[in-house]
Amino acid sequence: MENKSDLFVIQFDAETQIMNVIQNGVYEIGESTKMIEYFSKLMLTNNCRKVLIDNKNGSIKANTIDIYNRPKKFEKAGLPRNIKVAILYGEQNEQERFYETVLKNRGYNFRNFKHPEEAMKWLQR
């Protein structure tokens, strides 16, 4: 199953049981919320608990308050806390490290990576 927009592509790999999300371009926090809502439903439908988000060619336009409140949006979208999400970045910046910290502190198992091989290895544990 696949969903495409100008800013993201979502695919579910039935063999690995991993949801693959590819993000492109700069997008607002609200657009990211739509993506979360869609892949949350897709995860429930496929009993999927692992997500790989490739954000090397994308970036999110968000301030500190937006990031801090992000877990509330996840809860509203029905995103369960018992999932693993690996996010790939070309080069991490302070905002992306803060995002990872906020999510971990709120009980979500999110982790940032630079290399896809490391991300896949972590997801498959």
Side-chain angles (χ1 to χ4, degrees):
M1 179 174 261
E2 183 174 311
N3 179 60
K4 292 184 179 182
S5 83
D6 291 340
L7 299 171
F8 61 86
V9 175
I10 300 175
Q11 300 171 319
F12 175 68
D13 184 332
E15 185 178 323
T16 62
Q17 292 291 298
I18 294 175
M19 183 83 52
N20 293 291
V21 180
I22 301 169
Q23 298 177 309
N24 296 298
V26 178
Y27 50 95
E28 301 287 334
I29 196 89
E31 293 163 326
S32 176
T33 300
K34 291 176 193 172
M35 177 193 65
I36 298 293
E37 289 171 352
Y38 179 79
F39 86 64
S40 179
K41 290 177 188 171
L42 193 55
M43 290 177 74
L44 289 172
T45 301
N46 291 287
N47 196 29
C48 173
R49 296 283 179 241
K50 299 174 184 178
V51 181
L52 176 64
I53 300 175
D54 185 341
N55 202 30
K56 289 188 280 184
N57 295 317
S59 64
I60 191 164
K61 205 173 178 181
N63 61 41
T64 302
I65 299 299
D66 290 334
I67 293 169
Y68 184 78
N69 289 324
R70 198 75 178 128
K72 292 178 188 174
K73 300 281 186 186
F74 288 178
E75 290 169 10
K76 188 175 179 181
L79 195 66
R81 282 190 166 84
N82 64 340
I83 62 171
K84 290 177 88 171
V85 179
I87 305 175
L88 294 172
Y89 293 106
E91 292 296 327
Q92 286 186 57
N93 61 36
E94 195 61 37
Q95 182 182 37
E96 291 151 352
R97 285 187 286 275
F98 178 63
Y99 184 56
E100 178 184 40
T101 300
V102 166
L103 292 169
K104 284 182 177 180
N105 288 344
R106 300 280 185 85
Y108 286 98
N109 196 6
F110 277 60
R111 190 159 166 203
N112 296 340
F113 293 90
K114 183 174 181 176
H115 302 290
E117 302 81 21
E118 292 174 10
M120 287 299 288
K121 188 176 179 180
W122 179 77
L123 283 171
Q124 293 173 335
R125 278 192 238 157

